[in-house]
Amino acid sequence: QVHLVESGGGSVQAGGSLRLSCVASGRIASIYFMGWYRQAPGKERELVARISTTDRITYADSVKGRFTISRDNAKTRVYLQMNSLKPEDTAVYYCNAQALSDYWGQGTQVTVTS
């Protein structure tokens, strides 16, 4: 079992920055992907960024050059640094871990105002 808890969401003006954090516990060694997804009102949940155990990183085209995913050396935390935020980034952001099963955090709200 893997347990995930997100933090760091909030409200920020367009052009501002936020950093999201996700703490993982349980069978950490079983995880081979960790990442962030988001779901905006009226839209389906989408991948924002993902990092593998070999440090391969994938970003959504909409966030390339603005967002950065990283994790600590112990692989117990994953971060999403979000810069140059836009109103269209407004969504609930979910931490995800992929092992034999997919695990999800409870979500954290990010609101970007004009």
Side-chain angles (χ1 to χ4, degrees):
Q1 301 84 8
V2 176
H3 306 279
L4 305 171
V5 179
E6 305 101 329
S7 63
S11 182
V12 65
Q13 289 188 342
S17 298
L18 286 172
R19 185 173 69 181
L20 306 183
S21 177
C22 176
V23 179
S25 61
R27 292 184 171 88
I28 305 301
S30 68
I31 299 171
Y32 53 89
F33 284 119
M34 290 193 71
W36 294 91
Y37 288 72
R38 68 186 181 187
Q39 187 166 21
K43 296 184 178 180
E44 295 186 346
R45 185 166 56 185
E46 64 174 348
L47 174 69
V48 177
R50 181 182 65 195
I51 185 167
S52 75
T53 55
T54 57
D55 294 327
R56 301 295 293 179
I57 295 174
T58 300
Y59 293 104
D61 287 342
S62 60
V63 307
K64 286 181 179 177
R66 300 189 297 121
F67 291 10
T68 303
I69 188 170
S70 62
R71 61 185 175 189
D72 67 356
N73 291 332
K75 308 295 193 293
T76 57
R77 293 175 183 260
V78 63
Y79 305 92
L80 186 68
Q81 178 66 45
M82 304 185 294
N83 298 325
S84 301
L85 283 161
K86 304 174 180 179
E88 49 263 46
D89 294 319
T90 295
V92 177
Y93 284 70
Y94 297 91
C95 183
N96 167 257
Q98 188 172 351
L100 292 177
S101 300
D102 278 319
Y103 299 90
W104 298 92
Q106 79 282 6
T108 185
Q109 177 70 47
V110 171
T111 301
V112 185
T113 60
S114 300

